[in-house]
Amino acid sequence: DTVLTQSPGTLSLSPGERATLSCRASQTVSSAFLAWYQQKPGQAPRLLIYDASTRATAIPDRFSGSGSGTDFTLTISRLEPEDFALYYCQQYGASPWTFGQGTKVEIK
Amino acid sequence: EVQLVQSGAEIKKPGESLKISCKASGYIFTTYFIAWVRQMPDKGLEWLGIIYPGNSDTRYSPSFQGQVTFSADKSTSTAYLHWPSLKASDSAIYYCARPGVPKNYYSGLDVWGQGTTVTVSS
């Protein structure tokens, strides 16, 4: 299985700051088939980025994804109050699909 | 509007069977895969597997193979997740979700159900 390791576990930042979240895979993610999701308490995950760098429908452009091979990054250029949440990466290039353990972005 | 609406919360005893549902609307049910994802209490996300309602082709994660069964009813646009015999460790929130690309599961999951909470306790 492809293990995804997210870092850091928790990111403490203030609104307006830049957030950089990392997702490292234990093996190459085929065709950059990697997605990022946001999850808030009591809600289902929401797709932010797919194919490593393509924003999903209606996702603000302050969210961007990059990377290839085994190293991927989600960047939130300027944190808005509604961005404080849990973020997961997921690979869908090899079965079984796997998720990272999550990064919590919290208000400093 | 594209939607996945899941059945309500369940409380069951160990050894009992259970089938939860995920009703699709707003798109052609038979042309998109449906994935099932587990989230144990205060834990991360785990992929159980995926089903293509068009022909009921299924792929299971090895971790869940033999533990659960997926099915789909084209006449009601509903996907199902079935446990023949529940264990306490099956207690979790279960989500159904749809990839963003038709006839293809190499895609992020862009539509999610609201989740079904399953509690298994004696």
Side-chain angles (χ1 to χ4, degrees):
Chain A
D1 296 6
T2 302
V3 177
L4 299 179
T5 302
Q6 292 186 239
S7 60
T10 302
L11 203 46
S12 299
L13 295 167
S14 301
E17 289 194 295
R18 181 184 189 89
T20 303
L21 287 66
S22 173
C23 176
R24 178 161 289 178
S26 61
Q27 55 193 291
T28 295
V29 176
S30 173
S31 303
F33 284 151
L34 187 116
W36 290 93
Y37 300 87
Q38 177 192 69
Q39 188 177 34
K40 296 179 179 179
Q43 297 184 17
R46 178 174 72 141
L47 179 66
L48 300 174
I49 301 286
Y50 63 95
D51 295 349
S53 60
T54 303
R55 266 189 305 278
T57 303
I59 299 303
D61 60 8
R62 64 180 181 273
F63 292 92
S64 63
S66 63
S68 63
T70 60
D71 288 303
F72 299 86
T73 300
L74 174 70
T75 302
I76 310 171
S77 59
R78 288 177 58 86
L79 283 163
E80 297 288 340
E82 62 268 25
D83 299 336
F84 292 92
L86 204 46
Y87 292 84
Y88 294 98
C89 59
Q90 177 226 348
Q91 68 81 22
Y92 45 92
S95 184
W97 296 355
T98 48
F99 292 86
Q101 82 282 14
T103 290
K104 181 180 181 181
V105 178
E106 65 175 23
I107 300 177
K108 187 174 181 180
Chain B
E1 180 191 5
V2 175
Q3 269 192 307
L4 297 173
V5 178
Q6 297 185 232
S7 48
E10 300 275 1
I11 300 175
K12 307 291 275 187
K13 290 182 166 42
E16 292 185 330
S17 65
L18 174 65
K19 182 182 279 192
I20 64 174
S21 67
C22 169
K23 184 170 177 59
S25 61
Y27 73 96
I28 301 173
F29 178 63
T30 53
T31 60
Y32 285 80
F33 283 82
I34 292 282
W36 288 97
V37 176
R38 180 173 85 173
Q39 188 165 38
M40 299 180 76
D42 297 317
K43 298 294 183 187
L45 304 168
E46 300 170 275
W47 180 71
L48 282 70
I50 200 159
I51 183 168
Y52 187 65
N55 59 10
S56 290
D57 179 29
T58 56
R59 320 233 172 160
Y60 295 93
S61 166
S63 298
F64 295 93
Q65 179 87 46
Q67 309 302 309
V68 297
T69 303
F70 308 144
S71 61
D73 183 340
K74 289 187 276 192
S75 69
T76 59
S77 297
T78 303
Y80 297 95
L81 171 58
H82 174 246
W83 292 263
S85 180
L86 286 160
K87 303 185 287 289
S89 58
D90 292 320
S91 297
I93 298 173
Y94 292 86
Y95 293 101
C96 60
R98 193 202 77 170
V101 178
K103 304 179 184 178
N104 194 330
Y105 52 83
Y106 291 113
S107 175
L109 299 169
D110 75 338
V111 182
W112 290 69
Q114 82 276 20
T116 295
T117 300
V118 174
T119 303
V120 185
S121 174
S122 54

